[in-house]
Amino acid sequence: MNLKYILIIFLAFLFTAPTYSQIMTEQEAREELDRRGINEEELRFELMKRGIDLDNIDVTNPHELIKTREIIEEVMKELETRGGAVANEPVTKDTSKVDELLSAENNIKQSVKDGATIDEAISEELQEIAKEELPEAKVYGHHLFRNNSVKFYRKTEDAKPPDTYIIGSGDQVSISIWGQSEANFSLEVSKEGYIKPPKITRIYVAGLTIANAKKMVRSKISKRYIFKSENFDLNISTARTINVNITGEVFNVGTYSLSALNTAFNALVAAGGSSDIGSIRRIKLARAGQSTKTLDIYKYLSDPLINEGFYLKDNDYIVIPVMEKVVEIRGAINRPFKYEMINNEGLNELIDFAGGLKSRARKGSFKITRIINDQEVVINVDYKQLLKQRKNFSLLNGDLIEILEIENKYENIVTINGAVEFEGEYSYKEGMKISDLLNNATLKTDAILSTAYLMRLNDDNKTVRYQLTDLTKVIKNRNSAKNIKLQRGDILTVRSKSAFVDLKKITVEGAVRIEGEYPFNGGQLKVSDAIFLSGGLKETATDFGFIMRDRPGNQDVEYISINLKNAINNIQEDDILLHSGDKLIVYDIANYSDIAIVNISGAVRNPKKIKYDASLTIKKALLLAGGVTFDAALNQIDIFRIDFEDNKKTKTLVANVSIDANYNIVSGNADVNLKPFDQIIVRKAPEFELQRNVRLQGEIKFPGDYALLSDNTKITEILNQAGGMTKEGFVKGTTLYRVKEGVGFVILNLEKAYDNPESSFNIILQKGDVITIPKINDLVTVIGAVNARDAFNQEIAKSGKFNFAYEKGKNAKYYVDNYAGGVSKGGMSSRIKVIYPNGEVKKTKKFLFIKSYPHVEPGSIIYVGYKDPVPETKEGESKGTDWGKVLGDSVAQATSIVTLLLLLNSIK
């Protein structure tokens, strides 16, 4: 497939199609244009005017592609604004897809900059996209290619070839000599397999490992240069590129171009690795004329150095068959998973693959679930006996091995907890007593020695019983009957005195400086003391507070009202003693007042809501809002006010005031002071407007920005104000672009406007209009389906644009026949169109068998349209798309339709 075509397709559909199977056909492209209401030929015309020829884009140049896309985005928006045709549905812009496209382009550019070929850069980007879609590995080993465990190498900076690397044609060999003689060579291995150092005969190195080649070359070169053996080095500076075919049960079947630095393991990364049913133990490496090698991922995981035995050659095949035997292991195993088994591997090998048994694995009975004669059966295997007899156990496809953990936690331990320094489990020894356990755990000083409990399993090994013991007697006399002999699984519990004491507190919250809880289990703590501990009252604190106190014996709460001023002054009536658990609540004045605001908006610099205060006036409010703006109407300030009645029924009142430059009220009936919830709105001066500018550019005597002097300034008036056109000005090519409301280009006929200034052609200008007058253009351009490529030399024909001198009074067909070689076989004369310098387009008209071709003016572009492609199908065949044929036939038009699709997708 043509490389340019691959790149365009990749960029065009990167964010919608991670595989080639989703590429659009040309018909689908045309349908997309129709949906968006855009005529392809008009799009071509507009692009041609901006110097973009879709047939001659260098698609290998990312900078040119990005620049082209930006121009087409602009043209597409312009055409849609004009409304060329009615779109079937609204167009929305998916910025996430644009971001993905830009990200992909940046990745490709960076890869090329880092030394990759365009082929490799595209391939790597497609791999990354495909990996995002890969499912989670279900069989151990599949993960190797789905989580970047194995790297794909691009150049020698990524990985230095080992001595076992086999040299081939296309490799770049570097030779260094130092010491008594000094020399450095960089030599490419020829197609015949040799290198040719200066003034030395050919040395054939293809097929040799680096180690063997180093010996041979050193021997040959030593006849001309003087150096010690250790002062010589040969290595690969740039590895050759090879094609490798990857097929079978792989995610992305295909032929891959990659650096010969990659082994078969690395190459599999390019294809996404084995599919969910693809083998990872019986991967075949096939090479013409040689026996097939087998790759085993499990061997690679245990010894990555075997990777060096699988270097690739051009046109090697990597074939991944379907897995034949998969078993699953669960339970007390270090890596529970599904595993592929081969040959005579059994239970022993499976346990090794799974990382071995856990320490608490029950080896006496493995449970194996197996399907036999369409029935599920359970087999118990004594793994202890297998190990003892040095035997294995055969496994079948679909076996499920479950390994249980030892559940009895009391086989060889005793436990102590509570008032000891070192709680926990201790090793049990035969004859061990309570005193031995106490020596290990060390009692705390507040331990209650007179009462300790020993919990012990009953004979049923499930229920427990408690035995009471006195540790005081145990400590005094080891031979005491209280020094009970321990059994496996015993748990001794020792309590501390503090465990039987409830920690109580008082709480202070609200308008105090330090809210919090304070430990309190009794004593002479008063309200004044609690306020002092909490940093004192805030300035906004009320004079009253409450104590919340639980009533003893029930769930009720008592509320005790306190005068805080009296409490602080130690007046006994309010400075009462606190109880454990009391909560002192101090309230803030703000909790008992409504927050009222005044809202100021309109022509002020900082519209805002201002907290109401009785001292607030209109002048103060205006100053707090940053003052009025320069377009404010000082005589039109409205105040809207809520009027309250006694029964809280409200009505809205309005007042109007005028102010002077110092914000003093000069007229009006509003109160000087504002009231809660007033709204102040400063109106803008109704006829105030800054200058409305338009821009004149191109062949005008005094180009630049001009202010419209009236609401009805016309185009000829502003052109006359600017001195008129220069002698080079092309009146028919004058364009008007209107920014306001997204109008875009307006078709002009400036000649008629000058002939009759009162006519509709003399357009009234609006703010932001841009008028462009180009230089005189007395040429006519012909593009599209014409035979001119055969009539001119290659340099002229290459651009696809054919420029000719203007002849007055001639129509479009005249230029096509007399200058451009006539309409080609792929074109249609009925599709001849002319785009005039002012942007107007006229098509060929047809009445019965008579065609009327549009007239031509200086600076016009004549476009000859192509015939619609007709798909060919043989009788009885499916009419589905033959992708090979579509791609092959479309190479010639790749930079037209497909590039167009790229740019369409980039602005969706």
Side-chain angles (χ1 to χ4, degrees):
M1 186 184 295
N2 184 283
L3 174 60
K4 290 173 66 175
Y5 192 48
I6 294 176
L7 179 59
I8 299 170
I9 292 172
F10 167 67
L11 289 175
F13 303 104
L14 175 63
F15 46 79
T16 55
T19 63
Y20 292 132
S21 62
Q22 296 174 345
I23 297 172
M24 283 186 180
T25 64
E26 181 177 339
Q27 181 60 33
E28 289 172 327
R30 295 185 187 280
E31 290 174 357
E32 174 65 12
L33 286 174
D34 291 340
R35 186 188 71 80
R36 295 169 67 84
I38 296 172
N39 182 286
E40 179 190 350
E41 294 170 0
E42 290 181 2
L43 179 58
R44 279 177 170 274
F45 282 141
E46 290 296 332
L47 293 175
M48 192 68 73
K49 289 173 63 177
R50 289 164 172 77
I52 300 297
D53 183 0
L54 291 178
D55 296 319
N56 290 281
I57 296 175
D58 181 5
V59 295
T60 64
N61 185 340
H63 295 288
E64 184 172 346
L65 284 176
I66 293 173
K67 178 182 176 182
T68 302
R69 184 191 64 233
E70 291 172 351
I71 295 174
I72 289 195
E73 285 179 1
E74 178 184 338
V75 173
M76 292 283 289
K77 290 176 182 176
E78 178 186 324
L79 289 176
E80 287 187 295
T81 301
R82 290 187 197 174
V86 179
N88 294 328
E89 56 186 6
V91 178
T92 58
K93 183 169 182 177
D94 186 346
T95 56
S96 65
K97 290 185 177 180
V98 175
D99 292 341
E100 291 175 26
L101 177 64
L102 290 174
S103 175
E105 290 176 344
N106 291 335
N107 291 342
I108 291 174
K109 287 190 291 181
Q110 187 60 46
S111 296
V112 173
K113 184 178 178 181
D114 291 343
T117 65
I118 294 177
D119 276 344
E120 291 171 338
I122 293 172
S123 176
E124 290 170 20
E125 192 63 27
L126 285 173
Q127 292 160 28
E128 290 304 315
I129 295 169
K131 282 181 184 178
E132 294 177 4
E133 304 297 325
L134 295 180
E136 186 178 349
K138 296 179 181 178
V139 177
Y140 183 70
H142 282 156
H143 68 284
L144 197 68
F145 306 106
R146 305 185 192 181
N147 59 8
N148 296 320
S149 298
V150 177
K151 188 176 180 182
F152 178 77
Y153 297 118
R154 182 194 299 143
K155 53 185 188 292
T156 50
E157 285 82 349
D158 292 338
K160 184 178 179 181
D163 286 345
T164 55
Y165 175 86
I166 299 174
I167 299 173
S169 299
D171 281 339
Q172 199 80 20
V173 177
S174 64
I175 300 172
S176 298
I177 301 169
W178 64 95
Q180 196 167 352
S181 294
E182 290 189 1
N184 290 286
F185 308 123
S186 182
L187 308 168
E188 184 175 343
V189 181
S190 68
K191 293 181 180 179
E192 292 77 19
Y194 64 82
I195 57 174
K196 178 67 173 63
K199 300 180 181 180
I200 296 177
T201 59
R202 297 176 178 179
I203 305 174
Y204 287 85
V205 293
L208 299 178
T209 63
I210 291 179
N212 292 335
K214 190 179 294 185
K215 292 178 184 177
M216 177 187 289
V217 175
R218 183 172 57 208
S219 174
K220 297 277 187 181
I221 290 184
S222 64
K223 295 176 182 179
R224 183 169 183 82
Y225 295 91
I226 301 173
F227 57 86
K228 294 181 180 179
S229 176
E230 61 270 20
N231 291 347
F232 174 88
D233 185 52
L234 178 148
N235 220 316
I236 302 297
S237 58
T238 304
R240 65 193 183 277
T241 298
I242 59 175
N243 291 322
V244 177
N245 308 291
I246 305 178
T247 185
E249 291 301 328
V250 65
F251 276 106
N252 298 299
V253 175
T255 299
Y256 293 81
S257 295
L258 43 85
S259 169
L261 286 171
N262 295 282
T263 66
F265 291 95
N266 307 111
L268 284 169
V269 176
S274 304
S275 68
D276 282 345
I277 61 171
S279 174
I280 59 253
R281 307 288 309 280
R282 298 182 296 110
I283 301 171
K284 305 299 180 185
L285 173 58
R287 182 174 298 161
Q290 295 187 20
S291 59
T292 300
K293 289 185 177 181
T294 301
L295 290 74
D296 187 337
I297 298 299
Y298 289 1
K299 289 183 180 179
Y300 168 78
L301 289 171
S302 62
D303 181 15
L305 292 179
I306 68 170
N307 187 26
E308 296 181 4
F310 291 94
Y311 277 103
L312 299 166
K313 288 189 176 181
D314 202 31
N315 291 322
D316 276 355
Y317 273 83
I318 299 175
V319 183
I320 301 181
V322 176
M323 291 183 291
E324 294 180 351
K325 182 165 68 173
V326 178
V327 299
E328 183 177 0
I329 188 167
R330 299 176 186 168
I333 191 79
N334 285 319
R335 189 165 48 237
F337 223 100
K338 289 183 179 180
Y339 293 85
E340 181 183 3
M341 311 296 288
I342 59 174
N343 302 328
N344 297 319
E345 292 175 344
L347 185 60
N348 293 336
E349 289 77 16
L350 175 62
I351 290 173
D352 289 339
F353 294 152
L357 300 171
K358 288 185 176 180
S359 59
R360 298 186 64 81
R362 179 177 289 179
K363 299 177 184 177
S365 179
F366 287 4
K367 176 185 174 183
I368 299 179
T369 304
R370 174 175 292 176
I371 303 297
I372 299 178
N373 296 328
D374 294 335
Q375 289 187 342
E376 189 174 81
V377 298
V378 174
I379 303 171
N380 292 106
V381 175
D382 188 338
Y383 190 59
K384 283 184 179 179
Q385 285 296 111
L386 288 178
L387 293 175
K388 187 175 181 180
Q389 298 171 9
R390 297 185 178 180
K391 291 183 178 180
N392 206 345
F393 182 85
S394 298
L395 298 174
L396 300 181
N397 184 38
D399 279 357
L400 170 61
I401 299 91
E402 296 178 87
I403 303 171
L404 302 178
E405 287 195 11
I406 298 170
E407 294 181 358
N408 186 358
K409 299 181 180 179
Y410 307 108
E411 286 188 350
N412 63 341
I413 60 171
V414 289
T415 305
I416 186 171
N417 56 44
V420 293
E421 297 291 346
F422 308 104
E423 290 184 279
E425 298 175 344
Y426 289 87
S427 175
Y428 169 78
K429 296 179 181 178
E430 194 67 35
M432 188 176 184
K433 293 186 176 183
I434 289 177
S435 58
D436 299 317
L437 187 56
L438 294 177
N439 289 337
N440 289 325
T442 309
L443 290 166
K444 289 184 177 180
T445 55
D446 66 338
I448 300 174
L449 302 179
S450 59
T451 305
Y453 293 91
L454 185 68
M455 187 181 77
R456 175 166 290 174
L457 287 168
N458 291 319
D459 293 339
D460 58 14
N461 210 31
K462 186 174 182 180
T463 59
V464 297
R465 66 181 185 275
Y466 287 91
Q467 290 183 228
L468 182 65
T469 187
D470 187 345
L471 298 183
T472 305
K473 295 181 179 179
V474 172
I475 294 170
K476 288 182 178 180
N477 182 10
R478 281 181 56 88
N479 297 321
S480 168
K482 297 294 184 180
N483 194 12
I484 300 170
K485 189 176 181 181
L486 299 176
Q487 296 180 5
R488 288 183 178 87
D490 280 353
I491 300 176
L492 180 63
T493 300
V494 183
R495 293 298 180 208
S496 62
K497 295 175 182 177
S498 61
F500 295 90
V501 177
D502 292 328
L503 294 177
K504 295 185 178 181
K505 62 190 176 183
I506 63 168
T507 304
V508 183
E509 63 179 38
V512 293
R513 291 185 176 86
I514 307 172
E515 293 183 277
E517 298 176 344
Y518 301 92
F520 180 61
N521 276 68
Q524 300 294 313
L525 193 66
K526 298 181 180 180
V527 172
S528 59
D529 300 317
I531 293 173
F532 180 83
L533 288 172
S534 59
L537 300 174
K538 289 183 178 179
E539 292 181 1
T540 57
T542 57
D543 292 338
F544 63 89
F546 285 95
I547 295 174
M548 290 177 58
R549 177 173 293 170
D550 294 333
R551 293 181 185 274
N554 57 45
Q555 296 182 351
D556 293 339
V557 176
E558 180 183 4
Y559 291 91
I560 304 172
S561 179
I562 300 292
N563 185 308
L564 297 176
K565 282 188 176 181
N566 290 343
I568 292 172
N569 293 320
N570 303 120
I571 296 176
Q572 187 175 359
E573 180 182 352
D574 291 290
D575 194 17
I576 62 176
L577 289 172
L578 297 174
H579 295 182
S580 296
D582 279 356
K583 178 185 287 186
L584 173 62
I585 303 174
V586 180
Y587 293 94
D588 197 295
I589 295 173
N591 293 337
Y592 295 90
S593 61
D594 294 325
I595 298 176
I597 55 95
V598 171
N599 195 340
I600 182 166
S601 61
V604 293
R605 293 187 178 87
N606 299 303
K608 64 194 311 181
K609 293 180 179 180
I610 303 170
K611 188 175 180 181
Y612 173 76
D613 183 78
S615 63
L616 188 64
T617 64
I618 292 176
K619 180 176 182 177
K620 290 179 181 178
L622 291 171
L623 291 172
L624 287 169
V628 299
T629 58
F630 58 83
D631 58 345
L634 301 183
N635 63 341
Q636 189 66 38
I637 299 176
D638 293 325
I639 297 101
F640 296 95
R641 177 168 295 168
I642 297 293
D643 183 41
F644 296 88
E645 296 181 358
D646 292 339
N647 59 2
K648 300 302 180 184
K649 182 179 180 180
T650 63
K651 60 181 179 180
T652 302
L653 305 176
V654 62
N656 176 268
V657 299
S658 299
I659 60 173
D660 59 19
N662 296 318
Y663 305 154
N664 296 312
I665 295 177
V666 295
S667 67
N669 57 359
D671 293 342
V672 174
N673 288 345
L674 297 172
K675 292 187 177 180
F677 311 111
D678 276 359
Q679 292 182 350
I680 305 170
I681 301 176
V682 182
R683 305 297 178 184
K684 289 187 178 182
E687 296 185 2
F688 179 87
E689 186 179 21
L690 295 173
Q691 297 91 333
R692 298 178 299 127
N693 287 348
V694 297
R695 173 163 293 183
L696 303 182
Q697 57 190 28
E699 295 302 316
I700 194 79
K701 288 184 179 179
F702 301 102
D705 292 342
Y706 286 82
L708 299 177
L709 302 181
S710 69
D711 291 337
N712 299 308
T713 303
K714 297 184 177 181
I715 188 169
T716 56
E717 294 176 39
I718 207 77
L719 289 174
N720 292 334
Q721 186 181 342
M725 292 187 228
T726 66
K727 293 180 180 180
E728 299 267 323
F730 186 29
V731 65
K732 291 185 177 181
T734 304
T735 60
L736 169 63
Y737 186 84
R738 178 153 293 169
V739 176
K740 188 175 180 181
E741 297 177 354
V743 170
F745 283 99
V746 179
I747 302 300
L748 292 179
N749 192 324
L750 199 55
E751 287 180 316
K752 291 184 178 180
Y754 271 119
D755 291 341
N756 183 9
E758 299 302 321
S759 70
S760 60
F761 297 101
N762 198 9
I763 295 174
I764 296 174
L765 298 178
Q766 295 185 9
K767 179 182 178 181
D769 283 355
V770 179
I771 303 163
T772 305
I773 303 175
K775 284 182 180 292
I776 292 174
N777 182 0
D778 56 358
L779 297 178
V780 175
T781 301
V782 181
I783 61 174
V786 294
N787 293 316
R789 289 179 177 82
D790 300 328
F792 300 98
N793 63 41
Q794 184 177 359
E795 190 65 27
I796 295 175
K798 181 180 179 181
S799 67
K801 295 170 59 177
F802 305 96
N803 301 307
F804 308 101
Y806 169 73
E807 289 189 49
K808 188 174 181 180
K810 304 299 182 182
N811 64 24
K813 188 67 162 53
Y814 172 84
Y815 287 91
V816 173
D817 291 341
N818 289 277
Y819 292 110
V823 179
S824 68
K825 291 182 179 180
M828 295 179 67
S829 61
S830 60
R831 290 190 174 181
I832 293 176
K833 298 181 181 181
V834 175
I835 179 169
Y836 298 99
N838 66 349
E840 185 179 0
V841 176
K842 288 188 178 180
K843 302 178 182 180
T844 297
K845 296 180 180 179
K846 185 177 180 181
F847 178 73
L848 297 177
F849 300 103
I850 301 173
K851 295 176 183 175
S852 176
Y853 299 99
H855 74 282
V856 178
E857 295 179 358
S860 296
I861 299 175
I862 302 170
Y863 174 73
V864 183
Y866 291 89
K867 296 177 182 178
D868 291 330
V870 180
E872 296 181 5
T873 56
K874 294 181 182 179
E875 187 175 353
E877 283 188 348
S878 169
K879 293 186 179 181
T881 303
D882 182 349
W883 285 110
K885 187 176 187 307
V886 169
L887 296 179
D889 293 346
S890 300
V891 168
Q893 299 180 27
T895 51
S896 57
I897 300 302
V898 184
T899 303
L900 185 60
L901 285 175
L902 157 64
L903 300 160
L904 279 173
N905 276 290
S906 69
I907 60 173
K908 276 190 177 180

